[in-house]
Amino acid sequence: MIGARWGATDAEVAAPQPCDVLAGEGATRADRAISIAAPVGVVYRWLCQLRTAPYSYDLLDNFGRRSPRTLTPGLERLAPGQRVMTLFTLTSFVPDEHLTISSGRHTVVTYAVRPERTEARLAVRVAFALPRCVTRPLLLGDLVMMRKQLLTLKALAERDARSFARREV
C-alpha cells in the first residue's frame, strides 16, 4: 500500500513491536526507519522530547510554535499515561529501547531504537485500527509528517552526539 513504508528493512517490517498487540489483528501498519550517527541513549533522549513537541512541520502540527532544539530537563522521566505530542498518551516504554504511544484505541505508535554498528537505528511502526478507506489517506499524510519528524530527530541527535564527542576529547 502506498505510504506504508519508508526506510524500513524487510527485517524491521517483519519484527514484532509493542504496538502490534495494542492495535490488534487486521490493523493497517506503516513502518518507517532511519539510521542515526549517535549513541542509542542520545536518540532515546530525543524520543522523550516528543512529550513536548512533534518535531515535524511545526506550522501544521505544533500550532506554529517551533519544536525545542535543545533537550528539556526532566522529559526523560517517563510514566504511562503522560501526554505525548498533545494528541497521544504514553502507553509503555523500556528506557533506551522503545516507547509506545496511543491516540485512543485507533492509532498506536512504537518508536524502537537499537544499536547498529557505530550508530543507532530508529524504527517506527504506526498501527491504525480503522477501516481501510480511512487509513489509505492517513498513510500518505503520516508518511510526510513522520519522514520530517525522523529527519529532524536525526539531525538533533547527531548534533548532540558530535557535541558530546568534542567535550570528551
Side-chain angles (χ1 to χ4, degrees), residues 20-126:
D20 298 337
V21 173
L22 296 171
E25 297 258 343
T28 300
R29 295 178 4 178
D31 289 279
R32 292 83 166 81
I34 194 166
S35 293
I36 302 175
V40 165
V42 172
V43 175
Y44 191 81
R45 185 60 183 82
W46 275 102
L47 289 178
C48 295
Q49 284 290 122
L50 295 176
R51 286 182 50 204
T52 192
Y55 290 89
S56 185
Y57 293 102
D58 287 336
L59 188 60
L60 296 174
D61 64 1
N62 201 25
F63 309 106
R65 293 185 311 255
R66 187 164 196 228
S67 297
R69 294 310 196 241
T70 57
L71 293 170
T72 304
L75 290 181
E76 71 280 6
R77 290 189 289 276
L78 301 177
Q82 291 172 327
R83 299 304 294 169
V84 178
M85 294 184 284
T86 307
L87 300 174
F88 292 87
T89 302
L90 182 62
T91 304
S92 67
F93 67 95
V94 173
D96 292 337
E97 287 184 26
H98 84 86
L99 58 90
T100 298
I101 60 177
S102 66
S103 177
R105 295 181 317 198
H106 304 296
T107 305
V108 187
V109 185
T110 294
Y111 291 81
V113 63
R114 64 177 170 75
E116 180 182 70
R117 293 183 227 94
T118 60
E119 51 192 28
R121 184 75 174 163
L122 176 56
V124 183
R125 175 164 301 144
V126 181

